[in-house]
Amino acid sequence: MNNKREINDNTDDSKKFGKVIFFIVLSIFVLIIFRFFYVGVSHHADGENLKKKVEQLYSKRTEVKAKRGTIYDANNQVIAEDTTTYSVYVVLSKDARTFDGKPAYLKPSEKDKAAKVLSENLGTSYSKMKKILSPKDPDIYQVELGSVGKNISLETKKRIQDANITGIEFTPSQARLYPNGTFASHLVGIAENENNKLVGIMGIEKQFNSKLSGKNGIKSEQTDGQGTKLPWTKEVSRPVKNGDNIYTTLDSHLQNYLETLLTKAQNTYHPKNINAVLMNAKTGEIIAASQRPTFNAQTKVGLNSSWTNTLTESTYEPGSCMKIFSMAAAINSGIYNPNATFNSGKYNIDGAYVYDWNRAGWGPITYRQAFIRSSNVGMAHLEQQMGAKRWLRYLKSFGFLKPVDAPGLENEAKGYIGYKYPIDQANTAYGQSIDVTAMQMMQGFTAIANNGTMVQPRIIKKIVDPNDNKTVYESKRKVVGHPITSSTAQQVRGMMRDVITDKNGTGQAYNINGYDIGVKTGTAQIANPNGGGYLTGDTNYIFSVAGIAPLNNPKYILYVTMQQPETFGTQGAATKVLATIFNPMMKQTLQDDSTKGTSNSDNEVPNVKGLSVETAQQELKKTDADVIICGNGVKINQQSIPANQTVMKGSKIILVTNGAKTIPDLTGWSRNDVVTLADMLGIKVHFDGSGFVKSQSVSANTVVKKNQQVNIALQ
């Protein structure tokens, strides 16, 4: 009986347990159903958006790299553009295999061949390359080739690949191409790859980095498990915006020529520094500019030793080229008297002395001669007569002591002036005790060239958005002041002509036959870096020349400075050294200008000696020159411009016949042309005034005799 009760009790317990299990399973099932229902409706689980997770799992997102903007010259020639470079590495491990099991490493039998191919194409020695390919550690998987194996061109890569050597591999990277190499390198600047993105680190590349960089695009689409785009999905993208293109004012032909001249001078005279700037006087456009030392933007050779842009960042005492401005200020303020005289040699100012470069002086000379001979004493006298306050106002009105502040000219210095004592104030009139930049000088020179109107230098011509081809910025001629009158500017230019043509002029080395040019030379002392005055020695100066041409209608300004050459070489003097840069550069510029905008670009002068007057005139028509016949003979004995020389349209070519020599009508002639004529006729001329010929003491077409004096009035 008891056993039966126990069995019934066990049966009841089993039923209860079964019910509990049933309800537990049912509850779990309900929860699972609810969970599936909730997830299916809300698309969320554990705080995650499952729909987005799936989209991300089967979406393809691609970044489209923006192209960095291209930098062009004034004639749309490329200065800097994007390219792809490659780095070389060599796989040595025998474990390296292709997908189909073939060797993907450098076989020992091909090591010699690889060393030969790599050394020849990467510009290094065979032994060095062989050593790199034979590391001491046998377990090394691959080797890098150092700096010689980085940033190689596509052409070099192809030449190496053509050797068909397994194991030589390449890694591509975005890079910048500078096809001209050394080409206004500090002004244009460079961009380098940082984290697989080109970033400007100098010059225009740096200053306009945000415009040049552009913005990367994004392409995003949904795909299936095999990567195929799902047809019912939308493609989400952000279009790529390529960087803006920058057009500069530089002329590649003249810039490359300037680089050649500076390199030759650097290698011959070994100066500490050279600066040279060629500018359009009317517009302020910088046509060519460079410095030494410099660097090759493509190879980076020289970069480590020449980071400073000396054209904008460095200041220096300009020396006697400053006399252009002090003379202009003296004339403009009304205190200049061309016939007044002073005692040259030295000048006592409150117990301190100003000395001429010729300390013995030239005795009493006029202030006009002070400019021509480059007398410090004369300029100091003029400054004292003007007064310190008025002279300082002129300095500031010419743009000194503040940056030029033009787009493309970065990190500009503002300069400095020592102006506490009278002797300091006088020193500034001849370019000492004042620090300037080359660009400040160029800006000031435009006032002399443009009849008193001063324009800002500029190197950026325009910026164009390549995505829609719209011009987003265009520079224009910017007038920044009118420090002097037109009459003052013309008088100063006349004196600059005299610096070349006068027998006492310091710039006779800068005469270029057939061209009307005015210059001012400079020799500035250099402050002793150890304190205590200035450096001594024949070469411890900053030598300079500033030139304007053509003087009757100025268009170009060329300014060259050279600091501390080690030698003057065979030239024997600083003026002749600078002439090796200035003369060919200015001549080339004027010749190029004469051929622009004309269908007849052949302005080469033929040899007309011995020809009849009529035939000579016919031959010279090709040059578009102004042909002047002097004499009543029938054949040509002399010509002022030698055969095979190129001349500007409108230049004077003087022809002297075999008969009695006659003097032509000289009205409107430049002083330089009159001097040339006098040499050909064998006469003496005496000039009065400055500028162009107003009148002559001997009437036109009069026969003149050897050594006869002719008085010329200029205005």
Side-chain angles (χ1 to χ4, degrees):
M1 193 69 181
N2 290 333
N3 290 337
K4 187 175 181 179
R5 187 179 296 114
E6 290 177 0
I7 292 172
N8 289 334
D9 290 340
N10 289 336
T11 301
D12 291 338
D13 290 341
S14 296
K15 289 180 179 180
K16 290 178 180 179
F17 181 74
K19 289 179 180 180
V20 171
I21 294 298
F22 172 77
F23 282 112
I24 290 173
V25 171
L26 180 63
S27 299
I28 292 172
F29 181 75
V30 170
L31 287 173
I32 292 173
I33 295 298
F34 177 78
R35 177 69 169 174
F36 273 112
F37 179 78
Y38 172 79
V39 170
V41 172
S42 68
H43 304 296
H44 282 75
D46 298 327
E48 298 282 354
N49 188 321
L50 299 180
K51 186 175 182 180
K52 288 187 176 181
K53 282 285 186 180
V54 172
E55 288 177 355
Q56 290 174 5
L57 184 63
Y58 293 104
S59 66
K60 184 178 180 181
R61 182 185 176 93
T62 305
E63 185 176 56
V64 183
K65 290 283 186 182
K67 179 186 177 185
R68 188 175 179 85
T70 301
I71 301 176
Y72 295 93
D73 81 340
N75 300 310
N76 301 337
Q77 300 296 310
V78 172
I79 296 175
E81 65 179 342
D82 271 8
T83 188
T84 300
T85 60
Y86 302 85
S87 295
V88 190
Y89 66 94
V90 182
V91 178
L92 300 176
S93 175
K94 294 181 179 180
D95 294 333
R97 300 276 172 173
T98 62
F99 287 114
D100 54 2
K102 293 181 179 179
Y105 59 88
L106 177 63
K107 299 175 183 177
S109 61
E110 291 191 310
K111 190 170 292 187
D112 288 340
K113 179 182 178 182
K116 184 175 184 298
V117 170
L118 291 171
S119 63
E120 289 175 350
N121 286 282
L122 301 179
T124 188
S125 67
Y126 169 83
S127 58
K128 182 178 180 180
M129 192 55 60
K130 184 69 178 292
K131 186 177 180 180
I132 293 175
L133 298 179
S134 305
K136 295 180 180 179
D137 186 352
D139 296 325
I140 287 181
Y141 186 85
Q142 67 186 45
V143 292
E144 309 288 337
L145 303 186
S147 59
V148 297
K150 295 181 178 179
N151 299 319
I152 68 171
S153 66
L154 176 62
E155 291 74 17
T156 301
K157 172 179 176 282
K158 288 180 177 179
R159 287 197 302 269
I160 295 173
Q161 286 179 319
D162 288 343
N164 295 317
I165 303 173
T166 59
I168 299 180
E169 302 293 342
F170 303 87
T171 302
S173 61
Q174 192 179 19
R176 200 69 163 156
L177 175 66
Y178 300 92
N180 294 302
T182 301
F183 184 96
S185 299
H186 287 82
L187 289 172
V188 174
I190 53 174
E192 293 193 339
N193 194 311
E194 295 181 4
N195 300 319
N196 205 28
K197 181 180 180 182
L198 287 171
V199 178
I201 61 174
M202 180 191 292
I204 292 172
E205 292 274 29
K206 178 182 178 181
Q207 192 173 25
F208 292 90
N209 186 66
S210 60
K211 288 188 174 296
L212 287 163
S213 294
K215 292 183 179 179
N216 293 340
I218 295 175
K219 183 179 180 181
S220 181
E221 58 187 16
Q222 293 183 28
T223 62
D224 61 15
Q226 282 71 44
T228 304
K229 180 183 175 182
L230 299 174
W232 59 84
T233 60
K234 291 183 178 180
E235 180 180 300
V236 180
S237 64
R238 183 182 71 199
V240 64
K241 184 184 183 302
N242 291 324
D244 292 341
N245 295 327
I246 295 180
Y247 294 78
T248 70
T249 60
L250 298 172
D251 182 306
S252 286
H253 171 62
L254 292 173
Q255 180 67 44
N256 282 318
Y257 187 50
L258 179 62
E259 299 290 0
T260 300
L261 293 172
L262 294 190
T263 296
K264 184 177 180 180
Q266 177 76 10
N267 294 337
T268 303
Y269 310 111
H270 308 288
K272 187 174 181 179
N273 172 267
I274 309 176
N275 280 342
V277 185
L278 173 68
M279 190 169 74
N280 185 312
K282 297 182 183 297
T283 65
E285 293 178 336
I286 297 171
I287 300 167
S290 194
Q291 67 181 69
R292 292 296 182 276
T294 188
F295 63 93
N296 184 309
Q298 184 60 31
T299 65
K300 308 300 186 293
V301 172
L303 180 59
N304 291 335
S305 59
S306 60
W307 275 94
T308 303
N309 181 349
T310 55
L311 295 171
T312 60
E313 299 176 51
S314 296
T315 60
Y316 58 95
E317 294 183 67
S320 293
C321 283
M322 180 59 74
K323 293 171 184 174
I324 292 174
F325 304 110
S326 52
M327 179 56 78
I331 294 172
N332 210 69
S333 60
I335 62 99
Y336 169 72
N337 180 349
N339 298 316
T341 62
F342 66 95
N343 288 319
S344 60
K346 66 178 181 179
Y347 179 30
N348 187 332
I349 300 178
D350 288 349
Y353 282 93
V354 172
Y355 292 97
D356 281 325
W357 61 268
N358 173 16
R359 290 205 169 198
W362 305 275
I365 61 173
T366 66
Y367 285 104
R368 183 182 185 84
Q369 279 291 314
F371 187 90
I372 294 169
R373 297 173 188 254
S374 200
S375 167
N376 296 340
V377 171
M379 296 304 113
H381 274 289
L382 291 176
E383 184 277 327
Q384 293 287 289
Q385 293 171 42
M386 273 189 289
K389 290 184 178 179
R390 181 157 53 176
W391 169 228
L392 183 59
R393 285 199 301 270
Y394 272 108
L395 283 172
K396 291 181 177 179
S397 69
F398 277 116
F400 295 109
L401 307 178
K402 61 182 179 180
V404 171
D405 198 28
L409 303 177
E410 66 164 356
N411 298 333
E412 282 190 89
K414 65 179 184 179
Y416 168 81
I417 191 170
Y419 215 66
K420 185 176 181 181
Y421 302 105
I423 188 62
D424 296 328
Q425 296 156 9
N427 287 343
T428 61
Y430 55 89
Q432 303 285 170
S433 297
I434 182 171
D435 288 346
V436 303
T437 68
M439 290 302 170
Q440 287 173 338
M441 294 290 282
M442 294 301 293
Q443 180 172 269
F445 293 146
T446 64
I448 309 300
N450 293 324
N451 292 327
T453 299
M454 188 166 69
V455 298
Q456 182 187 58
R458 55 190 170 121
I459 194 170
I460 304 300
K461 192 171 186 179
K462 63 180 178 178
I463 301 176
V464 177
D465 184 345
N467 303 285
D468 55 17
N469 208 33
K470 289 184 178 179
T471 299
V472 297
Y473 169 80
E474 187 167 11
S475 69
K476 296 181 179 179
R477 179 177 186 262
K478 183 177 180 181
V479 175
V480 291
H482 297 86
I484 56 175
T485 66
S486 175
S487 175
T488 295
Q490 290 179 45
Q491 289 183 67
V492 174
R493 293 204 304 271
M495 293 186 204
M496 292 176 71
R497 177 188 290 112
D498 294 345
V499 171
I500 292 178
T501 60
D502 192 282
K503 64 180 181 179
N504 298 311
T506 59
Q508 295 177 50
Y510 302 103
N511 180 54
I512 304 175
N513 199 16
Y515 298 97
D516 191 19
I517 298 170
V519 304
K520 183 68 193 79
T521 59
T523 304
Q525 292 179 297
I526 300 173
N528 191 329
N530 299 319
Y534 292 95
L535 297 175
T536 59
D538 291 343
T539 62
N540 276 327
Y541 296 91
I542 297 176
F543 303 101
S544 59
V545 58
I548 296 174
L551 278 184
N552 62 334
N553 184 23
K555 187 172 182 181
Y556 298 105
I557 300 170
L558 178 58
Y559 181 47
V560 184
T561 68
M562 179 181 289
Q563 179 180 341
Q564 295 170 285
E566 291 183 3
T567 175
F568 295 142
T570 58
Q571 301 301 326
T575 52
K576 292 183 178 180
V577 167
L578 289 181
T580 65
I581 301 171
F582 182 94
N583 291 19
M585 190 67 211
M586 182 62 89
K587 182 178 179 180
Q588 185 65 58
T589 301
L590 294 172
Q591 287 178 349
D592 282 6
D593 184 73
S594 69
T595 61
K596 290 178 181 177
T598 173
S599 58
N600 179 16
S601 60
D602 184 10
N603 284 357
E604 190 174 280
V605 176
N607 184 5
V608 296
K609 289 182 182 179
L611 298 180
S612 68
V613 172
E614 185 178 356
T615 303
Q617 288 178 314
Q618 284 294 118
E619 288 293 316
L620 290 173
K621 277 186 177 180
K622 304 173 185 177
T623 65
D624 289 325
D626 181 14
V627 180
I628 310 295
I629 306 296
C630 298
N632 53 22
V634 294
K635 289 187 177 182
I636 303 301
N637 270 359
Q638 301 177 67
Q639 62 185 82
S640 61
I641 307 298
N644 302 319
Q645 181 172 308
T646 304
V647 294
M648 292 176 58
K649 179 180 179 180
S651 296
K652 284 183 173 58
I653 299 181
I654 303 168
L655 303 180
V656 178
T657 70
N658 61 347
K661 297 176 181 178
T662 58
I663 190 168
D665 182 359
L666 304 179
T667 304
W669 280 40
S670 71
R671 182 176 181 138
N672 193 44
D673 285 335
V674 174
V675 170
T676 300
L677 173 69
D679 289 339
M680 296 177 72
L681 297 181
I683 62 175
K684 295 180 179 179
V685 292
H686 173 75
F687 293 100
D688 183 24
S690 62
F692 300 90
V693 177
K694 176 183 179 182
S695 63
Q696 60 197 84
S697 62
V698 178
S699 301
N701 301 317
T702 300
V703 174
V704 291
K705 298 179 181 179
K706 187 175 182 180
N707 294 323
Q708 181 177 343
Q709 180 168 311
V710 178
N711 297 324
I712 304 294
L714 305 175
Q715 70 171 7

